[in-house]
Amino acid sequence: MNESSNGRLLQQTILVTGGASGLGRAIVERCVAEGASVGVLDRDEASCRSLEAEFGEHVLCVTGDVRDPSANEHAVTACVERFGGLDTAIGNAGIWDYSMPLVEIPAERLSAAFDEMFQINVLGYMQLAKAALRPLAARRGTLIFTVSNAGFWPGGGGALYTATKHAVVGLVRQLAFEFAPHVRVNGVAPGAIATSLKGPASLGMEARRFPAEAMLRGAPGFVPIGRMPTPAEYAGAYVFFASRDDNVPATGTVLNHDGGFGIRGLGATPRGGDDLLERLHL
Ligand SMILES: NC(=O)c1ccc[n+]([C@@H]2O[C@H](COP(=O)([O-])OP(=O)(O)OC[C@H]3O[C@@H](n4cnc5c(N)ncnc54)[C@H](O)[C@@H]3O)[C@@H](O)[C@H]2O)c1
């Protein structure tokens, strides 16, 4: 059952929330390429339909909101009914606060913004975990949550986003404990990605455009690896945590997969090795 012989995802069924766009879509593409059948839960109806048109029988989409327990249950049930079970559930749908500093959030809007950010970024993952636990336990499966560099370091969002992503790190650890030894729970913490990440409606940011091009241009100045990875380049980490051959020791861990924000150092450049090749005469 669902065992792979080479670390790939042959015959696995994988459910991805927020799989209709950006990082989630890249994870879907990679999982299909690895031989998996993929379910998606996303609130963007048009992107869901285009995903199904592109991937045909390999992908099923459920349109719904990750905050809604019945939407998560519906997506899990649809995967089990269509593909026969569930091996991996990936909580990934999220929103950003456009780095709005606490001092700039109007006091009368803070509570609503807090609720919206935490309900999508944290409660959504909990709803997925609750809905998927039974079929995952039946197959000794895996939960994977998208964290962020903001789960570890300040400055990758405002107080709201950073707090939600720190909360996800705690959720990974707690659920890994609660579900051991039956279901592994791990996180992937990507760095900046050129996507169309949206903001909270409660702060009027639901249609705001992520500054992807500016971030791509500016990346050499702030990403230690010198550029911003593509969404597809992040997807392999999810394959690793889903793979029954490779994930055996992994539970309760979060992979800093952010281009090196943790080793930026104290100098003017985020890299200590900019002149390394010169010094090595290469
Ligand atoms: N873009 C970045 O720089 C970056 C960096 C680190 C982490 N992340 C994280 O990556 C994840 C994916 O974001 P992305 O950058 O691919 O953005 P994106 O907007 O391209 O994709 C997010 C998807 O989630 C869906 N979604 C949002 N709220 C939802 C809800 N309430 N119910 C159902 N679906 C919902 C959206 O419709 C969209 O398809 C998020 O958790 C985000 O916090 C992004």
Side-chain angles (χ1 to χ4, degrees):
M1 176 191 69
N2 306 302
E3 291 301 323
S4 63
S5 57
N6 57 2
R8 292 158 78 92
L9 306 178
L10 301 171
Q11 294 173 38
Q12 277 209 23
T13 296
I14 298 178
L15 173 59
V16 187
T17 70
S21 168
L23 173 61
R25 192 178 169 108
I27 295 168
V28 171
E29 284 180 24
R30 178 67 183 269
C31 290
V32 170
E34 298 279 354
S37 299
V38 182
V40 167
L41 171 61
D42 200 293
R43 66 180 172 182
D44 184 337
E45 169 87 43
S47 300
C48 277
R49 298 292 80 85
S50 99
L51 202 60
E52 285 184 326
E54 185 175 342
F55 292 102
E57 61 179 8
H58 301 292
V59 171
L60 78 80
C61 267
V62 169
T63 307
D65 196 301
V66 293
R67 293 168 282 190
D68 176 5
S70 62
N72 286 276
E73 283 154 19
H74 180 193
V76 169
T77 305
C79 282
V80 172
E81 284 176 358
R82 166 93 78 92
F83 302 127
L86 188 66
D87 301 281
T88 297
I90 300 176
N92 169 76
I95 56 172
W96 192 45
D97 62 1
Y98 280 78
S99 289
M100 186 176 252
L102 185 63
V103 71
E104 281 179 22
I105 302 175
E108 68 281 8
R109 288 204 195 179
L110 180 57
S111 179
F114 179 94
D115 286 349
E116 188 177 358
M117 291 291 306
F118 271 82
Q119 287 199 8
I120 294 178
N121 289 6
V122 186
L123 177 65
Y125 290 1
M126 286 194 202
Q127 298 287 21
L128 175 70
K130 275 190 85 67
L133 181 58
R134 198 165 187 281
L136 288 179
R139 288 196 167 178
R140 307 293 185 268
T142 290
L143 266 165
I144 306 168
F145 294 147
T146 295
V147 186
S148 164
N149 49 284
F152 294 88
W153 325 114
L160 289 172
Y161 184 74
T162 301
T164 66
K165 291 300 183 178
H166 274 63
V168 174
V169 174
L171 189 62
V172 166
R173 294 178 179 144
Q174 180 64 27
L175 295 187
F177 171 73
E178 291 186 17
F179 299 166
H182 309 294
V183 174
R184 289 175 170 70
V185 185
N186 294 289
V188 177
I193 325 169
T195 64
S196 47
L197 192 56
K198 300 287 188 298
S202 49
L203 293 177
M205 295 176 173
E206 68 276 26
R208 203 157 152 183
R209 211 161 154 261
F210 196 62
E213 295 80 16
M215 285 171 66
L216 276 168
R217 273 196 309 277
F222 68 89
V223 185
I225 60 167
R227 72 174 174 87
M228 200 184 293
T230 64
E233 287 170 327
Y234 284 106
Y238 295 82
V239 174
F240 167 73
F241 280 125
S243 160
R244 286 191 160 81
D245 288 335
D246 294 323
N247 75 4
V248 172
T251 198
T253 192
V254 180
L255 179 65
N256 286 111
H257 210 42
D258 57 15
F261 286 139
I263 50 92
R264 279 161 53 104
L266 300 176
T269 154
R271 287 169 295 280
D274 270 339
D275 61 353
L276 188 63
L277 297 186
E278 253 168 63
R279 288 200 237 157
L280 294 171
H281 307 293
L282 287 172

